[in-house]
Amino acid sequence: MHRLGVRLHLLSLAAGHDGAPLLVHSKHEGVSARLRHGEIAHEHPLDVAHEIDGIVVHDGAPARCRGRLFDRSWSRGSRWLALHAVSLARILLAEAKLFLMTEGASTALLTDMYELTMLDAALESGRAERKSVFEAFARRLPGGRRYGVVAGTGRVLEAIESFHFGTEEIDYLASAQIVSDTTLEWLANYHFTGDIYGYAEGECYFPHSPIMTVTGTFADTCMLETVILSILNHDSAVATAASRMTAAARERPCLEFGARRTHESAAIHAARAAVICGFVGTSDVEAGRTYGLKIAGTSAHSFTLLHDSEEEAFAAQIDTMGTGTTLLVDTYDIPTGVERAVAAARAAGGELGAVRIDSGDLIAQAFTVRKQLDDLGATTTKITVTSDLDEFSIAALGAAPVDSYGVGTKLVTGSGYPTAEMVYKLVAREGDDGQMHEVAKISSNKKSVGGLKVAGRVRDQRGHSAQELIVSAQNWEDGLAYLERSGARPLQHKLVSGGEVNQEFVGKDAIAAAAQRHNDSRAELPYDGWRLSRGEPAVPTKMVDIFAGDD
């Protein structure tokens, strides 16, 4: 347990306790990596109100127990603790293993070196405390797509909560000699204290939409660039692909099957992004546990090949999963497989739930299999198809008698565009006069637009999105007032206030809210927005500058 950073320590007895107090010392808390404190009320008949007093992070662990956890006189409370120590240890071990698989307690080193060297130099020059405004946006939509979808916001907020430099991070930076001792001291006390505004997850966006705006000192805000971009670029790329796929599928369910086609951690987050954009579930069990997503899966070709006959394989699967399961019928000959699948379900006393086709000409196979099922009287048996599907092949299958789709590789890789191509740029900063000033890049092909931006969406008389109105303003109030006069729906929410995360936008409930938000946002798009072909953004962007001066 010490090797995993989870330690059990014996403390002195607390007054009134009839057992050995226990401190759970955990360097890492897993998944969300947020610190928690709490008590566990025992429900054992021998309970004497023994408590777990807290979960704490400690730079130097207390002395080890050296095997003396239960060597004092054993009261009823101690006996209860002894009986349940193994269960407690298993829980802690599972949390520790989950940490090893994910990012851990601190996200501070999920950064590029130049953010640290910029901070170091800015502290030296005396400019690090200048008030600054950074903005995450996309100059263009990859692949000529008509819209993008914001995803990853909740993960960004969780990452910011965990963006701090502990002893291990400071020791590493010191050994690498990246920054000065003065900067190391500053980092050791770092916690983001600024504000963040942004589009909520599930919202559609267009070129130059201010997807996330970060305000604070330069030191505060520049540090978050890489962790913000790495999450938003990945999740939004997957979400945009997922949205196009579910739009092409119309009312037919789509399932995410991409875990084996990407990095194991990326697969978890890809499943989350897919569900935000209309996918009904995932094959990734860890994604199901982490985010409360529906998980689905039955069997692969190897299961059929394991058995001496296809009939035996089908019977075995139905025996454990029931007749409502989905049988994979293309291991050998599809017509024969379909006949055997229906017969296996009926032999077990029911009708088969579905057959899956994973190869061949899916359109032709779907029509052939549907006719065969109907001829067999299996009119309620559904057809699901897999095999390297993307939005275009799903659209092509629209006229075929298919009931659902399983999508893997193309989904988790953004269907050819694995990044949303967002950037994070300084757009305003404080001058020596104490006033805020617009700043912008004018580099060829990489221009940015200065100023704090307030965004809204103007709709036409039919309720369709007609314009992305982006106002460069002195402050939020001026920008919002302009949007109101223009009849635009405000798009940004206050996600972080004074370093405190708005909990409405994190956690499992936020995923369901994001899914509904995306459904509503996509429904507002004009007809051109639903096209899969390359073209101009479905909603034009209008930039308005009401920031006095600095033009």
Side-chain angles (χ1 to χ4, degrees), residues 105-120:
S106 173
T107 57
L109 296 188
L110 298 178
T111 189
D112 288 310
M113 179 174 164
Y114 79 169
E115 277 135 32
L116 295 166
T117 53
M118 283 195 295
L119 170 67
D120 195 37

Side-chain angles (χ1 to χ4, degrees), residues 177-353:
Q177 299 182 344
I178 293 174
V179 296
S180 66
D181 290 343
T182 300
T183 301
L184 288 176
E185 184 177 350
W186 188 93
L187 290 171
N189 296 300
Y190 176 78
H191 176 74
F192 180 71
T193 57
D195 296 339
I196 298 179
Y197 296 80
Y199 286 36
E201 287 194 88
E203 189 69 70
C204 294
Y205 73 88
F206 303 93
H208 297 286
S209 296
I211 293 165
M212 188 168 286
T213 302
V214 184
T215 68
T217 67
F218 179 82
D220 238 355
T221 53
C222 82
M223 294 297 298
L224 302 179
E225 175 179 0
T226 301
V227 72
I228 287 175
L229 289 181
S230 63
I231 294 173
L232 290 182
N233 272 320
H234 172 266
D235 289 22
S236 296
V238 174
T240 301
S243 178
R244 287 160 59 86
M245 291 170 183
T246 54
R250 298 186 180 272
E251 299 301 318
R252 295 173 178 176
C254 293
L255 287 162
E256 185 276 312
F257 286 170
R260 66 190 62 191
R261 302 297 190 223
T262 188
H263 184 279
E264 64 270 21
S265 293
I268 301 169
H269 310 317
R272 178 184 183 277
V275 168
I276 285 173
C277 290
F279 275 64
V280 298
T282 176
S283 64
D284 192 303
V285 179
E286 184 56 54
R289 179 175 75 156
T290 302
Y291 294 123
L293 309 180
K294 177 183 177 181
I295 56 175
T298 51
S299 66
H301 295 100
S302 60
F303 183 78
T304 300
L305 295 170
L306 168 69
H307 293 82
D308 294 335
S309 68
E310 196 170 44
E311 294 96 330
E312 181 186 341
F314 288 168
Q317 182 173 329
I318 290 172
D319 186 49
T320 57
M321 302 182 197
T323 57
T325 190
T326 299
L327 292 177
L328 182 57
V329 295
D330 69 342
T331 303
Y332 305 116
D333 175 68
I334 292 179
T336 303
V338 170
E339 185 176 348
R340 290 170 175 171
V342 171
R346 288 174 175 170
E351 290 294 323
L352 182 63

Side-chain angles (χ1 to χ4, degrees), residues 358-375:
D358 187 53
S359 59
D361 184 331
L362 296 179
I363 296 175
Q365 297 283 13
F367 278 105
T368 301
V369 169
R370 181 72 270 162
K371 184 178 186 307
Q372 183 180 6
L373 288 170
D374 291 346
D375 289 346

Side-chain angles (χ1 to χ4, degrees), residues 55 157 180 214 234 237 282 316 331 349 433 474 485 493 507 536 539:
I55 298 177
L157 299 181
S180 66
V214 184
H234 172 266
T282 176
T331 303
D433 58 0
Q474 183 77 29
R485 292 194 299 271
H493 302 260
E536 294 298 315
V539 177

